[in-house]
Amino acid sequence: MATDAVSEEAPDAYARLVEKVKRISNVQNAGGLLGWDQQVMMPEGGTPARSQQLSTLSAISHELLVEDETGELLDELESQNLDEEQEAVVREVRREYERAVRVPTELVQQISEASSDALPAWEKAKAENDFEAFAPHLEKIVGLKREYAEQIDPDADPYAVLFADYEPYLPLEQAEEILEQVRETLVPMIAEIRESDADVTTDGFSRHAPFDEDEQEALSRDALTMLGYDWDRGRLDVSSHPFTSGTQFDARVTTRFDEDDPMGALMATIHEFGHAAYQLGLPDEHYGTPLGEPRNLSVHESQSRLWENFVGRSKAFWELFLPTFKEHFPQTGDVTVEEAFESANQVYEDNFIRVEADELTYHMHILVRFEIERALIAGDLDVADVPEVWNDKYEEYLGIRPETDSEGCLQDIHWSHGSFGYFPTYSLGSFMSAQLFAAAEEDIGGLDEQIREGEFDDLHEWLTEHVHRYGQRYETNELVKHATGEDFVADYFIDYVTEKYGELYDLDSA
Amino acid sequence: MATDAVSEEAPDAYARLVEKVKRISNVQNAGGLLGWDQQVMMPEGGTPARSQQLSTLSAISHELLVEDETGELLDELESQNLDEEQEAVVREVRREYERAVRVPTELVQQISEASSDALPAWEKAKAENDFEAFAPHLEKIVGLKREYAEQIDPDADPYAVLFADYEPYLPLEQAEEILEQVRETLVPMIAEIRESDADVTTDGFSRHAPFDEDEQEALSRDALTMLGYDWDRGRLDVSSHPFTSGTQFDARVTTRFDEDDPMGALMATIHEFGHAAYQLGLPDEHYGTPLGEPRNLSVHESQSRLWENFVGRSKAFWELFLPTFKEHFPQTGDVTVEEAFESANQVYEDNFIRVEADELTYHMHILVRFEIERALIAGDLDVADVPEVWNDKYEEYLGIRPETDSEGCLQDIHWSHGSFGYFPTYSLGSFMSAQLFAAAEEDIGGLDEQIREGEFDDLHEWLTEHVHRYGQRYETNELVKHATGEDFVADYFIDYVTEKYGELYDLDSA
């Protein structure tokens, strides 16, 4: 293309790129709705057709992205003077394009089909504690994802390639350093907690079980309303694994209930509220483009963990929320705020389930998965050996050994989705939430008092202003720096847990 | 393409055509799910994004169909020796292709967007009795559909072109003749009924109102279960207008409840059951091809009307079902089978609402719409005059005049969808159901007794065997002839209503 013609063509080329990107995004969002429906609404018999539908949408979205025209538009636009937002769109599409052109449509389709088949197989295997029934599915998915990484970059560590699908702008080295730093703090802290004589209430609510599921759902709805969930753009439903799905116009959350543990459902609901708040905070006018989409998974998880841990598990929140809780469950009339707070923050002695883990041991659950999936993708571990290795690692890090695979390596849905490299983003997001909450407190001041009063507008606005509204305009470290003044680091999380758990468990190290 | 090469290429060409058709079907079925979700699950704020998603899927499906390759494959296959099923697939795809290549993608997208915008506007206008607020949407849609018909065949009656979207193999002349024939019977019959002194119970249930909506839902579920609905491939939900959506793997029904009228909801549910039974009876192995899709709308409606009118409104059904009804609503303990049967079959004196109409006056509701939409599409009627003309026609055919547009021309969702030419299929389907039920009775015998015993397997199997399993293998008249031994005619319906209502209302003409 002649240079002198370019400046005149640039606006057209940008409009064409945006149109294309929106079309792709609409196809992907349609797929998102099909996925939500599959987990929340679809009758079981619908699986064969749904798998084909999802696979078709996935293939079409891939084909639209890798069309020659995409590359031509990007080439043209990269030689132009664009504003900061346009540059960000071009950067993000370029990245997606480069990764996509290296992966054949057929492979994308195979992964999508394998995942759709794996999902019901995993559900059944988990229900029946039958890892062997799931193993062929896992094996197939691992093989396909290795092939996927190989296609994108045959010279790179395949796990780093997969990790970059979720964390495109966080080098695996930085992530590992942060994880390592936290582990050095947590392992001795958890050990010290287990030897602590502190009298921490663990059964504030659970001693009053059972808790009716319909009533728990009403409680979850009250919590969402109190936190400021926009019901005009959302829903609450039940699924076997809580998740959030949607866009800035329609961000739906799910949760699940356990009659013995109302805290688990409530914290899951608040966690998903944080994800939905991020989606809903993305700018309406940029729907369908990178400027209207979430930055990446650690940032997404920072939002859910911030609301779950810094709001939902705070003493201030329980001063606010305990009366509502008691309205729904009058049998808990004798529970004190201190007991509720301690129950929400207890460090479990013998919990095998990641999604039911406390704030500290949670990251050990993640490390087990991180190490296993790295080894699987590297080809250093056979699928058949996963249960054994899983159980050994739980013994090593948490001093407990699962008795069944259902409460061991079959507990999570993620590998069925082919999501390798995803788990560490959960921990990274938790660490990031500490950094963001500290910055919000610095800017707003008195957040504790606001939470106690049920005033969440300032916090909500701060997060929208400093994180949500940017979509993918900034790279991860840039975004964190914009919001907090420095790159993403582990320090704030370490300070936070050291102080909180030091006090709670009378630790010497605090 | 050289003739000597063709026979070797034929199987490949057929496989390629089927692959393409399945891809299109998957995109359309994804759109179907998005539409279901929009009416049943979506929060209101989701509309802007959903409109774009539906519009994108609609455009993609259109573009895939009109690709040059489709025409090339069809040309190639039409010179081949194909078996009967393959020939049917080629015939159906050719028809779709020919209609689609004449319509520009942009127009398809405009219609889809206009419909998505019209839907919430219609809901609001209906709620607020504000036809003027809806008029611009209707005007836009009428204009776009005229343009659509013009693109397909500039020389044809545009209404006939639109009608053929729903009834590709039923000439408008045949349809009109049948409608005319029924009108000649019904108009005097309705007049005679209104002068009849027969003591027909009209308030068998309604005198016991109100009827709790949750309990009505439980009753609907019992009815669906009793009729043999496959819950593993279906759901029941609530929407403002009952409908059925899905495929042979997942056919969902909706209904809506009125605390004063449990019969309305129950008949709506049974009606949708008939639609779902047709979807579920389509062959699994042909999912995504014309052999696995319903023939057309009159056939679809024949299935819903058969279950609604010939089963749900029969005396035998009420002998079976009344005890279940009374279990849910003990206040109806004194209602007799005869009263229930009469209430289910009363001819209303002053009903303005099509979906609440009885079996006879129903077709007058359809004729009003048929005549108005023909005039709108022909350009002989302005949108602004629709309310006046609507009310005049109700006066002429039914002797009643709506007082508001909400209970007049705003009552139906269909025009918001751009569905012109659709309404007559409702009546045609009703007439066809009489012909099919007579043939089933001829083959099986004793259906009345089976219904009384709650045995629906024979009827279900007969319909699957003679109608459902063929998908689009036969043209409409061919299919009816296969099942009943003759072309589609009005006679069976006329005989049926003459006998049934003659007896019920002691008519001289019977």
Side-chain angles (χ1 to χ4, degrees):
Chain A
M1 210 152 288
T3 310
D4 58 351
V6 163
S7 59
E8 278 182 358
E9 286 177 14
D12 268 3
Y14 185 73
R16 284 210 308 283
L17 186 74
V18 166
E19 193 186 345
K20 179 184 273 290
V21 164
K22 281 187 174 176
R23 170 170 265 214
I24 294 168
S25 177
N26 278 322
V27 173
Q28 288 171 343
N29 285 323
L33 194 271
L34 265 63
W36 174 86
D37 182 82
Q38 183 167 21
Q39 287 185 63
V40 179
M41 295 291 162
M42 192 185 79
E44 204 182 340
T47 306
R50 184 56 50 85
S51 301
Q52 287 185 49
Q53 293 154 7
L54 283 168
S55 161
T56 294
L57 293 184
S58 170
I60 287 173
S61 141
H62 180 82
E63 286 165 27
L64 288 170
L65 180 59
V66 302
E67 276 173 2
D68 290 344
E69 196 200 11
T70 314
E72 289 158 16
L73 290 171
L74 289 170
D75 289 345
E76 187 178 334
L77 287 163
E78 278 159 353
S79 64
Q80 298 311 304
N81 276 330
L82 301 173
D83 67 26
E84 197 184 16
E85 289 196 340
Q86 292 170 331
E87 268 180 5
V89 168
V90 170
R91 175 192 70 222
E92 296 298 324
V93 180
R94 167 63 78 187
R95 205 193 141 270
E96 290 293 326
Y97 173 74
E98 288 302 327
R99 287 180 82 86
V101 288
R102 298 180 190 168
V103 184
T105 302
E106 206 194 328
L107 180 57
V108 174
Q109 197 144 351
Q110 283 171 335
I111 292 171
S112 169
E113 275 170 24
S115 298
S116 282
D117 291 344
L119 192 68
W122 164 74
E123 279 178 350
K124 196 160 176 284
K126 184 179 173 184
E128 295 170 3
N129 187 35
D130 183 3
F131 180 79
E132 272 183 38
F134 179 60
H137 292 277
L138 182 55
E139 196 136 15
K140 183 161 192 189
I141 292 176
V142 167
L144 290 167
K145 293 298 280 192
R146 281 169 54 90
E147 199 180 326
Y148 172 90
E150 166 99 14
Q151 294 282 352
I152 290 173
D153 189 349
D155 302 322
D157 170 356
Y159 188 78
V161 176
L162 299 180
F163 179 69
D165 261 354
Y166 309 108
E167 293 298 327
Y169 300 109
L170 195 65
L172 186 56
E173 295 69 34
Q174 183 187 353
E176 277 184 311
E177 202 184 304
I178 290 173
L179 285 161
E180 181 63 29
Q181 216 179 325
V182 171
R183 177 163 54 184
E184 279 168 18
T185 304
L186 290 201
V187 170
M189 189 187 287
I190 291 167
E192 206 186 338
I193 285 170
R194 292 198 163 160
E195 282 161 20
S196 160
D197 293 330
D199 184 21
V200 175
T201 306
T202 58
D203 63 349
F205 295 117
S206 59
R207 67 177 184 257
H208 298 290
F211 293 85
D212 178 71
E213 298 200 356
D214 289 344
E215 204 58 42
Q216 286 195 58
E217 185 172 335
L219 181 71
S220 274
R221 287 182 190 279
D222 280 354
L224 289 170
T225 300
M226 199 175 278
L227 294 173
Y229 186 53
D230 183 354
W231 290 104
D232 188 42
R233 295 189 177 201
R235 298 179 47 93
L236 173 69
D237 294 283
V238 173
S239 64
S240 65
H241 185 95
F243 70 105
T244 300
S245 172
T247 69
Q248 48 269 69
F249 291 100
D250 177 3
R252 307 175 181 189
V253 299
T254 73
T255 191
R256 47 107 192 76
F257 302 106
D258 176 345
E259 289 206 330
D260 295 323
D261 175 29
M263 185 66 83
L266 188 62
M267 290 301 131
T269 301
I270 297 177
H271 178 97
E272 300 307 329
F273 165 81
H275 282 306
Y278 187 9
Q279 292 292 151
L280 294 172
L282 295 166
D284 284 1
E285 68 274 21
H286 290 304
Y287 166 73
T289 81
L291 298 170
E293 273 156 19
R295 175 55 280 173
N296 54 263
L297 287 193
S298 62
V299 177
H300 227 309
E301 191 71 6
S302 78
Q303 302 305 295
S304 57
R305 287 298 178 187
L306 187 147
W307 287 96
E308 178 191 351
N309 293 334
F310 289 82
V311 177
R313 294 189 200 276
S314 70
K315 199 177 289 178
F317 179 77
W318 284 100
E319 289 179 42
L320 167 72
F321 196 66
L322 191 55
T324 302
F325 195 102
K326 289 179 178 178
E327 273 170 36
H328 287 282
F329 296 108
Q331 75 264 39
T332 62
D334 68 341
V335 177
T336 65
V337 167
E338 187 62 35
E339 284 178 323
F341 169 70
E342 289 180 6
S343 297
N345 289 285
Q346 63 183 296
V347 176
Y348 298 112
E349 300 273 329
D350 58 355
N351 166 55
F352 298 101
I353 308 300
R354 179 182 58 81
V355 296
E356 294 169 5
D358 54 81
E359 247 181 302
L360 295 189
T361 57
Y362 186 85
H363 305 292
M364 301 298 106
H365 291 266
I366 291 299
L367 279 163
V368 169
R369 287 152 178 80
F370 176 57
E371 290 167 12
I372 286 178
E373 66 183 23
R374 279 203 83 161
L376 276 174
I377 296 297
D380 295 338
L381 175 64
D382 288 341
V383 164
D385 297 330
V386 165
E388 184 76 15
V389 173
W390 180 286
N391 295 347
D392 289 349
K393 283 186 188 287
Y394 265 74
E395 216 161 352
E396 192 182 337
Y397 295 141
L398 289 162
I400 55 176
R401 191 173 185 93
E403 285 183 13
T404 69
D405 294 332
S406 296
E407 63 175 11
C409 63
L410 282 173
Q411 70 182 265
D412 294 303
I413 201 173
H414 303 64
W415 290 341
S416 302
H417 285 313
S419 302
F420 298 95
Y422 181 110
F423 279 120
T425 70
Y426 283 136
S427 284
L428 296 166
S430 296
F431 311 155
M432 197 183 287
S433 69
Q435 187 169 347
L436 289 168
F437 192 79
E441 172 62 33
E442 182 75 24
D443 285 359
I444 302 168
L447 279 175
D448 215 49
E449 185 53 28
Q450 291 199 357
I451 293 170
R452 195 172 295 116
E453 299 293 327
E455 288 168 13
F456 298 105
D457 286 356
D458 285 354
L459 180 57
H460 215 109
E461 275 165 29
W462 190 92
L463 291 167
T464 303
E465 176 74 15
H466 292 85
V467 181
H468 307 172
R469 75 180 173 104
Y470 290 122
Q472 300 183 349
R473 178 157 160 183
Y474 301 119
E475 298 185 0
T476 309
N477 277 314
E478 261 187 294
L479 180 68
V480 174
K481 197 164 191 169
H482 258 275
T484 71
E486 52 191 315
D487 276 1
F488 174 33
V489 293
D491 308 38
Y492 294 90
F493 180 75
I494 290 171
D495 290 351
Y496 158 72
V497 293
T498 303
E499 190 188 326
K500 179 173 175 179
Y501 290 90
E503 212 169 293
L504 204 56
Y505 283 91
D506 298 326
L507 305 184
D508 298 336
S509 54
Chain B
M1 209 153 288
T3 310
D4 58 349
V6 163
S7 60
E8 277 181 0
E9 287 176 14
D12 268 2
Y14 185 74
R16 284 209 308 283
L17 186 74
V18 165
E19 194 185 345
K20 178 184 275 289
V21 164
K22 281 188 173 174
R23 170 171 264 215
I24 293 168
S25 176
N26 279 322
V27 173
Q28 288 171 342
N29 284 323
L33 194 272
L34 265 62
W36 174 87
D37 182 82
Q38 181 167 20
Q39 287 185 64
V40 180
M41 295 291 162
M42 192 185 78
E44 205 182 340
T47 306
R50 184 55 50 85
S51 300
Q52 288 185 48
Q53 292 154 9
L54 283 168
S55 161
T56 294
L57 293 184
S58 170
I60 287 172
S61 141
H62 181 82
E63 287 166 26
L64 288 170
L65 180 59
V66 302
E67 276 173 2
D68 289 344
E69 195 199 12
T70 314
E72 289 158 17
L73 290 170
L74 289 170
D75 289 345
E76 187 178 334
L77 287 163
E78 278 159 354
S79 65
Q80 298 311 304
N81 276 330
L82 301 173
D83 66 27
E84 198 184 14
E85 290 197 338
Q86 292 170 331
E87 269 180 4
V89 168
V90 170
R91 176 192 69 222
E92 296 298 324
V93 180
R94 166 63 79 187
R95 206 194 139 270
E96 291 292 326
Y97 173 75
E98 287 303 326
R99 287 180 82 84
V101 287
R102 299 180 190 168
V103 184
T105 302
E106 207 193 326
L107 180 57
V108 175
Q109 197 143 351
Q110 282 171 335
I111 292 170
S112 168
E113 276 171 24
S115 299
S116 282
D117 291 344
L119 192 68
W122 164 75
E123 279 179 350
K124 196 161 174 284
K126 184 179 173 185
E128 297 170 4
N129 187 36
D130 183 3
F131 180 78
E132 274 184 36
F134 180 59
H137 291 278
L138 182 55
E139 195 137 16
K140 183 160 191 189
I141 292 175
V142 167
L144 289 168
K145 293 298 280 193
R146 282 169 53 90
E147 199 180 326
Y148 172 88
E150 166 100 14
Q151 294 283 351
I152 288 173
D153 189 347
D155 301 322
D157 170 357
Y159 188 78
V161 176
L162 300 181
F163 179 70
D165 261 355
Y166 309 108
E167 293 298 328
Y169 301 109
L170 195 64
L172 186 56
E173 295 69 34
Q174 183 187 352
E176 277 184 311
E177 201 184 305
I178 291 173
L179 284 161
E180 182 63 28
Q181 214 179 326
V182 171
R183 179 163 53 182
E184 280 167 18
T185 304
L186 290 200
V187 170
M189 190 187 287
I190 291 168
E192 205 186 340
I193 286 172
R194 292 199 164 160
E195 283 161 21
S196 160
D197 294 330
D199 185 20
V200 176
T201 306
T202 58
D203 63 349
F205 296 117
S206 58
R207 66 178 184 258
H208 298 290
F211 294 86
D212 178 71
E213 298 200 356
D214 289 344
E215 204 58 41
Q216 286 196 56
E217 184 173 335
L219 181 72
S220 273
R221 287 181 191 281
D222 280 354
L224 289 170
T225 300
M226 200 175 277
L227 294 173
Y229 187 52
D230 183 354
W231 289 105
D232 188 42
R233 296 188 179 203
R235 299 177 48 93
L236 172 69
D237 295 282
V238 174
S239 64
S240 64
H241 185 95
F243 70 105
T244 299
S245 172
T247 69
Q248 48 269 71
F249 291 99
D250 176 4
R252 307 174 182 190
V253 299
T254 72
T255 192
R256 47 107 193 75
F257 302 107
D258 175 345
E259 289 206 331
D260 295 323
D261 175 29
M263 185 65 83
L266 188 62
M267 290 302 130
T269 301
I270 296 176
H271 178 98
E272 300 307 328
F273 165 81
H275 283 305
Y278 187 8
Q279 292 292 151
L280 294 172
L282 296 165
D284 285 1
E285 67 274 22
H286 290 304
Y287 166 74
T289 81
L291 298 170
E293 274 155 20
R295 173 56 279 172
N296 53 264
L297 287 193
S298 62
V299 178
H300 227 308
E301 192 70 5
S302 77
Q303 301 305 294
S304 56
R305 288 297 177 187
L306 188 147
W307 287 96
E308 178 191 350
N309 292 335
F310 290 81
V311 177
R313 295 190 199 274
S314 69
K315 199 177 288 179
F317 179 76
W318 284 100
E319 289 178 42
L320 167 72
F321 196 67
L322 192 56
T324 303
F325 195 102
K326 290 180 179 178
E327 273 171 35
H328 287 281
F329 297 107
Q331 75 263 39
T332 63
D334 68 343
V335 178
T336 65
V337 168
E338 187 62 34
E339 285 178 321
F341 168 70
E342 289 181 5
S343 297
N345 290 285
Q346 62 183 297
V347 177
Y348 297 112
E349 300 272 327
D350 58 355
N351 167 55
F352 299 101
I353 308 300
R354 178 182 58 82
V355 296
E356 294 170 6
D358 53 82
E359 246 181 304
L360 294 189
T361 57
Y362 185 86
H363 305 293
M364 300 300 107
H365 292 266
I366 291 298
L367 278 162
V368 170
R369 288 153 178 78
F370 176 57
E371 290 166 11
I372 287 179
E373 68 183 23
R374 279 203 83 162
L376 276 174
I377 296 297
D380 295 337
L381 175 64
D382 289 341
V383 164
D385 297 329
V386 166
E388 185 75 15
V389 173
W390 180 285
N391 295 348
D392 289 348
K393 283 186 187 288
Y394 264 75
E395 217 161 351
E396 191 183 338
Y397 295 141
L398 289 162
I400 54 175
R401 190 174 185 92
E403 286 183 12
T404 68
D405 294 333
S406 296
E407 63 175 12
C409 63
L410 282 172
Q411 70 184 265
D412 293 304
I413 201 172
H414 303 66
W415 289 341
S416 302
H417 285 313
S419 303
F420 298 96
Y422 181 109
F423 278 120
T425 69
Y426 284 135
S427 284
L428 296 166
S430 295
F431 312 154
M432 197 183 287
S433 70
Q435 188 168 347
L436 290 169
F437 192 78
E441 172 63 33
E442 182 75 24
D443 285 359
I444 302 168
L447 279 175
D448 216 49
E449 185 54 28
Q450 291 200 359
I451 292 170
R452 195 173 294 117
E453 298 293 326
E455 286 168 14
F456 298 103
D457 286 357
D458 284 355
L459 179 57
H460 214 110
E461 274 164 29
W462 189 92
L463 291 167
T464 303
E465 177 73 13
H466 292 85
V467 181
H468 307 173
R469 74 180 174 104
Y470 290 121
Q472 300 182 349
R473 179 157 159 184
Y474 301 119
E475 298 185 1
T476 309
N477 277 314
E478 261 187 293
L479 180 67
V480 174
K481 197 164 191 168
H482 258 275
T484 71
E486 51 190 316
D487 275 1
F488 174 32
V489 292
D491 309 36
Y492 295 90
F493 180 76
I494 291 171
D495 290 350
Y496 159 71
V497 293
T498 303
E499 189 188 328
K500 178 173 175 180
Y501 289 90
E503 210 169 296
L504 204 56
Y505 283 91
D506 297 325
L507 304 184
D508 298 335
S509 53

